[in-house]
Amino acid sequence: MTTLRSTLDFLLYNWLQAETLSARERFADHSRETFDAVLDTCERIAREKYAPFNRTVDTQEPHFDGERVTLPQATKDAYDAYAASGMLSAAQNYDIGGMQLPYTVDAAANAFFAVASISISSSLLSVGNANLLMVHGTDLQKKVFALNEFSGRFSGTMCLSEPQAGSSLSDVATRAVPDEAPSVAADGSVPWDQDPLGPRYRLTGNKMWISSGEHDLSENIVHLVLAKIPGPDDTEGNLTGVRNDVALAGLNHKLGWRGTTNTLLNFGEGKYPVQGRAGAVGYLVGQPGKGLACMFHMMNEARIGIGMAATMLGLAGYYASLDYAKNRPQGRPVGQGGKDAAQPQVRIIEHADVKRMLLAQKSYGEGALALNLFCARLVDEQHTGAPEAADEARLLLEVLTPIAKSWPSEFCLEANSLAIQIHGGYGYTRDFPVEQYWRDNRLNMIHEGTHGIQAADLLGRKVLMENGRGMQLLSARMQATMAQAAAVPELAAYAAQLGDALQQVGAATQAAWATGNPAEALANAVPYMQAFGHTVLAWVWLDVALATLRADATLSIAASAGRMGAARYFYHYELPKIGAWLNVVNSRDTTCAALSEAAF
């Protein structure tokens, strides 16, 4: 993990200037020393408790015997070590046991777990669940549920999708009805609308694709359930011993992320009756009819988290294929007389095409890591910056979130494919880890919203919201970077190239909406998002290149050359692709949308 650590150090301190966050009241107790201590701890735990067992959890899938789920002991050991580290609550306030760590540093520290074993590293939903409750829950819900999740005693899920609905959340069939009977009774029950934890409901329905929906890692699992609304609980968080009427119908056996349970949950079928009746007992979070808006708090956080997961899997494959390329002898260089079979073989990293594949992976993975950390820095700005800066950060996050989720999910998956290619035939075997990285990463193109959903969100909502102000703010950031780079001979041509790309994206945005017809505008939303994402990544690489040149004297010459090489690769090989993507957007091409079903 040495290479990852040096990359994180550069991005945090040389590029994002994370140390300056210590000047803010919330982070005043911190310094680079405390940030580094957190990174050291997470790197150690990831190296000792996660990385050695990545293959174990892939081959020893969760087992369901009809009553309980069994996971490898290594998963429990890793979960306990992570919870004990305090990272579940690292960004939270001191008064609830947190560290008040900047989210920028929190995200960087968690990268170690994702690169070591994304399949074990399944704390994302627990933290997101608890964060949602801290914003939308009552004081008692925060105390009973969120704080126990932050400690690791409880874990959490997000229950949105259903077998018949998928991503179409307006079609969910799960129902929540007031738990009106019994009212005040001999068993001490209180009326449903007077429960200390909030209005109490009985839930019935099914939820599909629920990650970590059943396991034995924590004492309790807190399900946040999206449902339509047509006895007293212990307020100290002590478990009553009465199981709620949530039953595991089965495990989904997936292509990747095999170490994390993925479940079909049945709510209220009567397998575990509560107070003698079927119906899972749940408590209202937020306001009736506002559940989806409430859930978006967690979904947006999860989307950035999935982008980071995809990024780290891409980098894991890059590190593995780089090591392989440095050690695998095969072939000989071509000279004027062709190949000389009498000469010894060379390592494959000496071949130009292998270098091309390595540079592609590096440009995708390190570029995506920079983008995700930039988004994390915006989160800190939104929560601790001056009012105007905080509002700008909020809007920039709105525009960038679909890209931060989907761009790494597509192009870091391509990086994993290239890692397999570098390994040749060995890449397809389980003797090397790169095939698992590809399988694990393939989920992320679907996880937390497909490309089509993210693209429609970007072109249909985010670039238009607040009269396009988010786009204007992002454009201004890019223009500022271009102005700096234009004054640097080594980067001036790239600044001009980025300016042209930005102009193309702006023109395509207008062309897509020229008729005001959403069906026409969104028919090619995914190519639009690919071009927009490539333009954003080109900007990130230009800004990183500027930081590299500014800090060159204090950095490793090889590391600096590598960053500059990745930036050049992106501008020479990747950014020119946006023209083809934007052509169909500009013309509102109907090839896909208009083709009849019968023609397929």
Side-chain angles (χ1 to χ4, degrees), residues 64-69 163 205-210 213-214 243 246-253 262-267 269 271-272:
F64 178 45
D65 63 7
E67 293 296 329
R68 63 189 300 269
V69 170
N206 316 98
K207 293 293 181 179
M208 184 61 136
W209 315 117
I210 308 308
E214 182 63 41
R243 175 164 179 153
V246 182
L248 176 62
L251 298 177
N252 297 308
H253 296 281
N262 189 273
T263 63
L264 170 60
L265 299 178
N266 292 338
F267 291 84
E269 68 175 6
K271 184 173 182 178
Y272 303 103

Side-chain angles (χ1 to χ4, degrees), residues 361-432:
Q361 293 180 71
K362 184 178 179 70
S363 73
Y364 296 156
E366 292 186 8
L369 178 59
L371 172 62
N372 277 278
L373 290 178
F374 176 75
C375 288
R377 182 67 176 77
L378 288 176
V379 172
D380 285 325
E381 194 66 33
Q382 183 181 359
H383 293 148
T384 65
E388 183 177 352
D391 188 58
E392 288 189 4
R394 170 194 64 81
L395 199 49
L396 283 167
L397 272 171
E398 290 279 10
V399 174
L400 289 174
T401 293
I403 296 169
K405 186 273 175 188
S406 283
W407 195 93
S409 298
E410 178 170 0
F411 291 97
C412 289
L413 180 68
E414 173 61 18
N416 291 134
S417 181
L418 292 171
I420 292 174
Q421 188 75 10
I422 287 172
H423 280 73
Y426 290 108
Y428 295 91
T429 72
R430 293 200 173 190
D431 296 331
F432 293 87

Side-chain angles (χ1 to χ4, degrees), residues 456-477:
D457 182 44
L458 177 65
L459 181 55
R461 291 183 58 247
K462 298 302 178 61
V463 300
L464 304 177
M465 66 189 304
E466 299 186 23
N467 295 315
R469 192 165 71 92
M471 276 282 285
Q472 294 165 16
L473 290 172
L474 183 58
S475 177
R477 297 282 182 113

Side-chain angles (χ1 to χ4, degrees), residues 7-171:
T7 300
L8 288 172
D9 283 347
F10 171 82
L11 292 175
L12 284 176
Y13 302 125
N14 295 97
W15 184 50
L16 293 174
Q17 305 295 315
E19 291 165 283
T20 63
L21 289 168
S22 300
R24 301 186 177 186
E25 182 180 358
R26 179 171 179 80
F27 310 127
D29 293 336
H30 289 291
S31 62
R32 175 157 183 176
E33 285 69 31
T34 63
F35 295 161
D36 283 346
V38 170
L39 295 173
D40 290 342
T41 297
C42 291
E43 185 176 13
R44 175 183 57 78
I45 295 172
R47 184 176 60 249
E48 295 174 358
K49 299 292 186 180
Y50 286 69
F53 306 103
N54 188 47
R55 179 62 79 186
T56 300
V57 299
D58 186 61
T59 57
Q60 297 179 25
E61 290 188 66
H63 174 67
F64 178 45
D65 63 7
E67 293 296 329
R68 63 189 300 269
V69 170
T70 303
L71 293 162
Q73 182 62 39
T75 305
K76 173 64 173 170
D77 294 342
Y79 179 88
D80 289 345
Y82 185 82
S85 74
M87 286 303 295
L88 285 163
S89 60
Q92 302 302 314
N93 294 342
Y94 291 137
D95 60 6
I96 63 169
M99 305 180 197
Q100 291 188 193
L101 193 70
Y103 183 62
T104 310
V105 180
D106 181 283
N110 276 296
F112 290 111
F113 302 105
V115 80
S117 179
I118 195 63
S119 209
I120 296 176
S121 179
S122 58
S123 62
L124 169 67
L125 291 178
S126 293
V127 174
N129 181 305
N131 285 341
L132 183 151
L133 289 169
M134 293 300 291
V135 174
H136 298 285
T138 66
D139 288 343
L140 196 56
Q141 287 171 348
K142 296 174 189 177
K143 177 183 177 183
V144 172
F145 301 122
L147 298 195
N148 278 306
E149 289 183 86
F150 285 136
S151 73
R153 185 178 167 220
F154 294 175
S155 58
T157 73
M158 177 170 57
C159 298
L160 297 176
S161 296
E162 297 181 2
Q164 83 295 336
S167 299
S168 182
L169 297 179
S170 60
D171 294 321

Side-chain angles (χ1 to χ4, degrees), residues 1-3 314-330 346-350 354-355 357-359 361-362 418-420 422-424 426 431-434 437:
M1 294 185 188
T2 304
T3 303
L315 282 172
Y318 166 62
Y319 298 145
S321 62
L322 175 61
D323 180 69
Y324 185 84
K326 287 180 175 179
N327 292 285
R328 167 70 174 178
Q330 184 174 316
V346 298
R347 296 166 304 136
I348 63 173
I349 197 171
E350 297 181 48
V354 172
K355 288 184 178 180
M357 291 187 283
L358 289 169
L359 263 176
Q361 293 180 71
K362 184 178 179 70
L418 292 171
I420 292 174
I422 287 172
H423 280 73
Y426 290 108
D431 296 331
F432 293 87
V434 288
Y437 295 142

